[in-house]
Amino acid sequence: MQLESLSTPCLLVDKMRFMNNISRLKSRLSELGVAARPHLKTLKSVEAVKFLLPSFDSPCTVSTLKEAKEFVAAGYRNITYAVGITADKLPTVLELQHQGAHINILIDNAVQAEAILAFCETNHCTLHVLIEIDCDGMRAGIKPSDEQLGKIALKLASRGCFAGVLTHSGGAYLCQSENEIKQFAVQERNAITQAASRIRAMGLPCNTVSVGSTPTAHYGEDWEGVTEVRAGVYVFFDLVMANLGVCELKDIALSVVTRVIGHNAEKNWLIIDAGWMALSKDPGDGNNGYGLVEKANEDIIASAMVNSVNQEHGIIHLPSTELLSSYPIGSILRILPNHACATAAMHESYHVVDQRGEMTNWSRFNGW
Amino acid sequence: MQLESLSTPCLLVDKMRFMNNISRLKSRLSELGVAARPHLKTLKSVEAVKFLLPSFDSPCTVSTLKEAKEFVAAGYRNITYAVGITADKLPTVLELQHQGAHINILIDNAVQAEAILAFCETNHCTLHVLIEIDCDGMRAGIKPSDEQLGKIALKLASRGCFAGVLTHSGGAYLCQSENEIKQFAVQERNAITQAASRIRAMGLPCNTVSVGSTPTAHYGEDWEGVTEVRAGVYVFFDLVMANLGVCELKDIALSVVTRVIGHNAEKNWLIIDAGWMALSKDPGDGNNGYGLVEKANEDIIASAMVNSVNQEHGIIHLPSTELLSSYPIGSILRILPNHACATAAMHESYHVVDQRGEMTNWSRFNGW
């Protein structure tokens, strides 16, 4: 790897790990007989997404309408926008439909349903609406037992706008063991299939029954009744996922390349040119500072982490067994991220290195 | 203000507050007879910077070479790049000098000095080098009493590359009172003037004697011996600065405009479309979650903050005295940022509203 040629700080993707991570989840879901709808919020790169989505019709998930616009412009046309929508965002969705894309949108209350029906009435159109189900009490969604569920589904169905149900098991990030994640996947499946059953019992079709989070996608053992599984961060993985046991450190495909710009001999500190602007301020699970430290050759420096960050400075408190002189001014280090989505979001492109050491570049975008 | 017309989430700048914040520091430093060298790392906007820098020759500070390149391209030519430099970044600095800019660069060790001298030898050029002084033990720099200081200054001066000394009192962010900040400013001044005196005692000129942090810039009472004061976040201010007493909440000129996208009636939660992607994951001083919540009309909702964030979701635990129905789905809220530099960094433009309610747009950039 010619890391010396890189301007620092910057993002590096290990392409072999990236491809392996993609294959792993694909195989697992395929064995379990359930479709994947990968989440593109981590990658946000048109060049990268072709390794994840085999065709322009492959299902995918996005977290912003900017992602939807970028991926539709690139040719993809089967997209779920998995954040609760408000009326002001509907014209963009319709515009994307006019461009030939099938966009699923998400709601969890009657006000949103009314707004969508009014919009469809005015614009003589049909939108494809999923109802968000709360499977863990962590964020949005309505409980599968909530009587509102049937009312909203009926209301949407009256104009042909009801497409199914969706849940996100964000609580799985707080699990402490593989077994807990497996249990969480059961809880997630039970919630969503209960919701789907209640809707079907009313005589409505419920075509989409969508679940997802990177932990449950990797440890769920039975997706009976579920039509698709969403996951995003697994393409890169990160320290949160490694500490959760979903991957190993050697699976993490994303790192920040940085240079040593200073030594504090009194304190045995390395100062690096990667601060929160390059690493993000995400503390992960609180165990690894702002990231673990690898040498350019990928050996992890035991007990070293980025202990503090300013905008463009990171400080590594080297353990006393490590000499500052082993890390001369100008030398390259690599920082493994706490949270790959957050770290990637601080950058405008990925440097991608393959097995032969050849380097290419993928652009990425942010914004809404 | 026509906030309803904005696509959310987005950044909003209150231009009157922004202009007042700029005037306040300008007046203070002018009364104390010391020059300002504003830091542009917070703004990163060519359209915005004209309100801060009266002329293309006005001194300014940057945290990345990307900022230097952007502002030189816009015509500014008196720039200090205030992060320790390594050899790989020197060609960019020379290129900017060839474009007519005066760029001060920063080092704190002999290895960097040697690299710069070797580069100047090879390229038949002179670079303008400041030596970073450690005034608080928080980050980079050499102690004013360190014998290395004189050696490095002499080495640089041998090729006409020595420009002066610079320190950053980042520790002032940890002060607990106005009085502590005043004391910190004294400590900062003492450190930098001691360094300058030691260098002058060796017979070298020390033209630049630079200090800075937003707290000490606003509370320092005597800058005798100091030639310039740097500060950045003061143009917007934020909750960290308000809690520190450097500004009041009503001075904060930056907010994130967001919409309510969900209600959790059981828990009295509002779900908003601003997650860490719009607010940053910066926890500030830990007292305000991920930001305080204002209504569209700028009334702060007492005891409300963004309690948790995911990528595109924020959750506000409303106090029991507030009814969810007062914040209908689709309604606009504004979030005051913990740390304006970090929140601004998540966006690509500012919506700027003036006293008459007229709105304009300033673009901003990130990257290196």
Side-chain angles (χ1 to χ4, degrees), chain B residues 29-75:
Chain B
L29 296 181
S30 168
E31 280 163 23
L32 292 170
V34 66
R37 183 181 280 278
H39 205 311
L40 308 182
K41 76 188 175 82
T42 311
L43 275 176
K44 299 206 188 201
S45 165
V46 169
E47 293 101 315
V49 85
K50 64 172 178 278
F51 300 103
L52 197 54
L53 303 181
S55 87
F56 285 135
D57 290 315
S58 301
C60 62
T61 313
V62 299
S63 68
T64 61
L65 287 177
K66 172 78 172 280
E67 289 162 68
K69 286 182 274 187
E70 292 280 342
F71 292 119
V72 167

Coordinates of all heavy atoms in Angstrom, one line a residue, chain B residues 29-75:
Chain B
L29 N -10.9 44.2 21.2 CA -9.5 44.1 20.9 C -8.9 45.4 20.5 O -7.8 45.8 20.8 CB -9.2 43.0 19.8 CG -9.6 41.6 20.2 CD1 -9.3 40.6 19.1 CD2 -8.9 41.1 21.5
S30 N -9.8 46.2 19.8 CA -9.3 47.5 19.4 C -9.1 48.4 20.6 O -8.1 49.1 20.7 CB -10.4 48.1 18.5 OG -10.2 49.4 18.2
E31 N -10.0 48.3 21.6 CA -9.8 49.1 22.8 C -8.5 48.7 23.5 O -7.8 49.6 24.2 CB -10.9 48.9 23.8 CG -12.2 49.7 23.5 CD -13.4 49.2 24.2 OE1 -13.3 48.5 25.2 OE2 -14.5 49.4 23.6
L32 N -8.2 47.4 23.5 CA -7.0 47.0 24.2 C -5.7 47.1 23.3 O -4.6 46.8 23.7 CB -7.1 45.5 24.5 CG -8.2 45.2 25.6 CD1 -8.5 43.7 25.8 CD2 -7.8 45.8 27.0
G33 N -5.9 47.6 22.1 CA -4.8 48.0 21.2 C -4.1 46.8 20.6 O -2.8 46.8 20.4
V34 N -4.8 45.7 20.4 CA -4.1 44.5 19.8 C -4.9 44.1 18.6 O -6.1 44.3 18.5 CB -4.1 43.4 20.9 CG1 -5.4 42.8 21.2 CG2 -3.1 42.2 20.4
A35 N -4.2 43.6 17.6 CA -4.8 43.2 16.3 C -5.6 41.9 16.5 O -5.2 41.0 17.3 CB -3.8 43.0 15.2
A36 N -6.6 41.7 15.6 CA -7.3 40.4 15.6 C -6.9 39.6 14.4 O -6.5 40.2 13.3 CB -8.8 40.7 15.5
R37 N -6.8 38.3 14.5 CA -6.5 37.4 13.4 C -7.6 36.4 13.4 O -7.4 35.2 13.9 CB -5.1 36.8 13.4 CG -4.8 35.9 12.2 CD -3.4 35.3 12.3 NE -2.3 36.2 11.9 CZ -2.0 36.4 10.6 NH1 -2.6 35.9 9.6 NH2 -0.9 37.2 10.4
P38 N -8.8 36.7 13.0 CA -10.0 35.7 13.1 C -9.7 34.4 12.5 O -9.0 34.2 11.5 CB -11.1 36.4 12.4 CG -10.7 37.9 12.3 CD -9.2 37.9 12.3
H39 N -10.2 33.4 13.2 CA -10.0 32.0 12.8 C -11.3 31.6 11.9 O -12.4 31.8 12.4 CB -9.9 31.0 14.0 CG -9.2 29.8 13.7 ND1 -9.4 29.0 12.5 CD2 -8.1 29.2 14.3 CE1 -8.6 28.0 12.5 NE2 -7.8 28.1 13.6
L40 N -11.0 31.1 10.7 CA -12.1 30.8 9.8 C -12.6 29.4 9.8 O -13.4 29.0 9.0 CB -11.6 31.2 8.4 CG -11.1 32.7 8.2 CD1 -10.7 33.0 6.8 CD2 -12.0 33.7 8.8
K41 N -12.0 28.6 10.7 CA -12.4 27.2 10.8 C -13.8 26.9 11.1 O -14.4 25.9 10.8 CB -11.5 26.5 11.8 CG -11.9 26.7 13.2 CD -10.9 26.1 14.2 CE -11.2 26.5 15.6 NZ -12.2 25.6 16.3
T42 N -14.5 27.9 11.8 CA -15.9 27.7 12.1 C -16.8 28.0 10.9 O -17.7 27.3 10.5 CB -16.3 28.7 13.2 OG1 -15.3 28.6 14.3 CG2 -17.7 28.4 13.7
L43 N -16.5 29.1 10.2 CA -17.3 29.6 9.1 C -17.1 28.8 7.8 O -18.1 28.4 7.2 CB -17.0 31.0 8.8 CG -17.7 32.1 9.6 CD1 -17.1 33.5 9.2 CD2 -19.2 32.1 9.3
K44 N -15.9 28.7 7.4 CA -15.5 28.0 6.1 C -16.5 28.4 5.0 O -17.0 27.5 4.2 CB -15.6 26.4 6.3 CG -14.6 25.9 7.3 CD -14.2 24.5 7.1 CE -13.4 24.0 8.3 NZ -12.6 22.8 7.9
S45 N -16.6 29.7 4.8 CA -17.5 30.2 3.8 C -16.9 31.5 3.2 O -16.7 32.4 4.0 CB -18.9 30.5 4.4 OG -19.7 31.3 3.5
V46 N -16.7 31.5 1.9 CA -16.2 32.7 1.3 C -17.2 33.8 1.4 O -16.8 35.0 1.6 CB -15.8 32.3 -0.2 CG1 -15.5 33.6 -1.0 CG2 -14.6 31.4 -0.2
E47 N -18.5 33.5 1.2 CA -19.5 34.6 1.2 C -19.5 35.2 2.6 O -19.9 36.4 2.8 CB -20.9 34.1 0.9 CG -21.1 33.6 -0.5 CD -21.0 32.1 -0.6 OE1 -20.1 31.5 0.0 OE2 -21.8 31.5 -1.3
A48 N -19.3 34.4 3.7 CA -19.4 34.9 5.1 C -18.2 35.8 5.5 O -18.3 36.7 6.3 CB -19.6 33.7 6.0
V49 N -17.1 35.4 4.9 CA -15.8 35.9 5.5 C -15.7 37.4 5.3 O -15.0 38.1 6.0 CB -14.7 35.1 5.0 CG1 -14.2 35.5 3.7 CG2 -13.6 35.0 6.0
K50 N -16.4 37.9 4.3 CA -16.2 39.4 4.0 C -16.8 40.2 5.2 O -16.4 41.4 5.3 CB -16.9 39.8 2.7 CG -18.4 39.6 2.6 CD -18.9 40.2 1.3 CE -20.4 40.0 1.1 NZ -20.7 38.7 0.5
F51 N -17.6 39.7 6.0 CA -18.2 40.4 7.1 C -17.2 40.4 8.3 O -17.3 41.2 9.2 CB -19.5 39.8 7.6 CG -20.5 39.9 6.5 CD1 -20.9 38.7 5.8 CD2 -21.2 41.1 6.1 CE1 -21.8 38.8 4.7 CE2 -22.1 41.1 5.1 CZ -22.4 40.0 4.4
L52 N -16.2 39.6 8.2 CA -15.2 39.4 9.2 C -13.9 40.0 8.9 O -13.2 40.6 9.8 CB -15.0 37.9 9.4 CG -14.4 37.3 10.6 CD1 -15.2 37.7 11.8 CD2 -14.5 35.7 10.5
L53 N -13.5 40.0 7.6 CA -12.2 40.5 7.2 C -12.5 41.8 6.3 O -13.0 41.7 5.3 CB -11.5 39.5 6.4 CG -11.2 38.1 7.1 CD1 -10.4 37.2 6.2 CD2 -10.5 38.3 8.4
P54 N -12.0 42.9 6.8 CA -12.3 44.2 6.1 C -11.6 44.2 4.7 O -12.2 44.8 3.8 CB -11.9 45.3 7.0 CG -11.1 44.6 8.1 CD -11.5 43.2 8.2
S55 N -10.5 43.6 4.6 CA -9.8 43.7 3.3 C -9.1 42.4 3.0 O -8.9 41.5 3.8 CB -8.7 44.8 3.3 OG -7.5 44.4 3.8
F56 N -8.6 42.2 1.7 CA -7.9 41.0 1.3 C -6.6 40.8 2.1 O -6.1 39.7 2.1 CB -7.7 41.0 -0.2 CG -8.9 40.7 -1.0 CD1 -9.3 41.5 -2.1 CD2 -9.8 39.7 -0.6 CE1 -10.4 41.2 -2.9 CE2 -11.0 39.4 -1.4 CZ -11.3 40.2 -2.5
D57 N -6.1 41.9 2.6 CA -4.9 41.8 3.4 C -5.1 41.6 4.9 O -4.1 41.5 5.7 CB -4.0 43.1 3.2 CG -3.5 43.2 1.8 OD1 -2.9 42.2 1.3 OD2 -3.6 44.3 1.2
S58 N -6.4 41.6 5.3 CA -6.6 41.4 6.7 C -6.1 40.0 7.2 O -6.3 39.0 6.5 CB -8.1 41.4 7.0 OG -8.7 42.6 6.6
P59 N -5.5 40.0 8.4 CA -4.9 38.7 8.9 C -6.1 37.7 9.2 O -7.1 38.1 9.7 CB -4.2 39.1 10.1 CG -4.4 40.5 10.3 CD -5.3 41.1 9.3
C60 N -5.8 36.5 8.9 CA -6.8 35.4 9.3 C -6.1 34.1 9.6 O -4.9 34.0 9.3 CB -7.9 35.2 8.2 SG -7.2 34.7 6.7
T61 N -6.8 33.2 10.2 CA -6.2 31.9 10.6 C -7.1 30.8 10.0 O -8.3 31.0 9.9 CB -6.3 31.8 12.2 OG1 -5.9 33.0 12.8 CG2 -5.5 30.6 12.7
V62 N -6.4 29.7 9.7 CA -7.2 28.5 9.1 C -6.7 27.3 9.8 O -5.6 27.2 10.4 CB -7.0 28.4 7.6 CG1 -7.6 29.6 6.9 CG2 -5.6 28.1 7.2
S63 N -7.5 26.2 9.7 CA -7.2 25.0 10.4 C -6.8 23.9 9.4 O -6.4 22.8 9.8 CB -8.3 24.5 11.3 OG -9.5 24.1 10.5
T64 N -7.0 24.2 8.1 CA -6.7 23.2 7.0 C -6.1 23.9 5.8 O -6.4 25.1 5.6 CB -8.0 22.4 6.5 OG1 -8.9 23.4 6.0 CG2 -8.7 21.7 7.6
L65 N -5.4 23.2 5.0 CA -4.9 23.8 3.8 C -6.0 24.0 2.8 O -5.9 24.9 1.9 CB -3.7 23.0 3.2 CG -2.4 23.1 4.0 CD1 -1.3 22.2 3.4 CD2 -1.9 24.5 4.1
K66 N -7.1 23.2 2.9 CA -8.2 23.4 2.1 C -8.8 24.8 2.3 O -9.1 25.6 1.3 CB -9.3 22.4 2.4 CG -10.7 22.6 1.7 CD -10.7 22.2 0.3 CE -12.1 22.2 -0.3 NZ -12.8 21.0 0.0
E67 N -8.9 25.2 3.6 CA -9.4 26.6 3.8 C -8.4 27.6 3.2 O -8.8 28.6 2.6 CB -9.4 26.8 5.4 CG -10.5 26.1 6.1 CD -10.3 26.1 7.6 OE1 -10.3 27.1 8.3 OE2 -10.0 25.0 8.1
A68 N -7.1 27.4 3.4 CA -6.1 28.3 2.8 C -6.3 28.4 1.3 O -6.3 29.5 0.8 CB -4.7 27.8 3.2
K69 N -6.5 27.3 0.7 CA -6.6 27.3 -0.8 C -7.9 28.1 -1.2 O -7.9 28.9 -2.1 CB -6.7 25.9 -1.3 CG -5.3 25.2 -1.3 CD -5.3 23.8 -1.9 CE -5.7 22.8 -0.9 NZ -5.6 21.4 -1.4
E70 N -9.0 27.8 -0.5 CA -10.3 28.4 -0.8 C -10.2 30.0 -0.6 O -10.7 30.7 -1.4 CB -11.4 27.9 0.0 CG -11.7 26.4 -0.3 CD -12.6 26.2 -1.5 OE1 -13.3 27.2 -1.9 OE2 -12.7 25.1 -2.0
F71 N -9.6 30.4 0.5 CA -9.6 31.8 0.8 C -8.5 32.5 0.0 O -8.8 33.7 -0.4 CB -9.4 32.0 2.3 CG -10.6 31.6 3.1 CD1 -10.5 30.6 4.1 CD2 -11.9 32.1 2.8 CE1 -11.6 30.2 4.8 CE2 -13.0 31.7 3.5 CZ -12.9 30.7 4.5
V72 N -7.5 31.9 -0.4 CA -6.5 32.5 -1.3 C -7.2 32.7 -2.7 O -7.1 33.7 -3.3 CB -5.2 31.7 -1.4 CG1 -4.3 32.2 -2.6 CG2 -4.4 31.8 -0.1
A73 N -7.9 31.6 -3.1 CA -8.6 31.7 -4.4 C -9.6 32.9 -4.4 O -9.8 33.5 -5.4 CB -9.3 30.4 -4.7
A74 N -10.1 33.2 -3.2 CA -11.1 34.3 -3.1 C -10.4 35.6 -3.0 O -11.1 36.6 -3.0 CB -12.0 34.0 -1.9
G75 N -9.1 35.6 -2.9 CA -8.3 36.9 -2.8 C -7.6 37.2 -1.5 O -6.8 38.1 -1.5

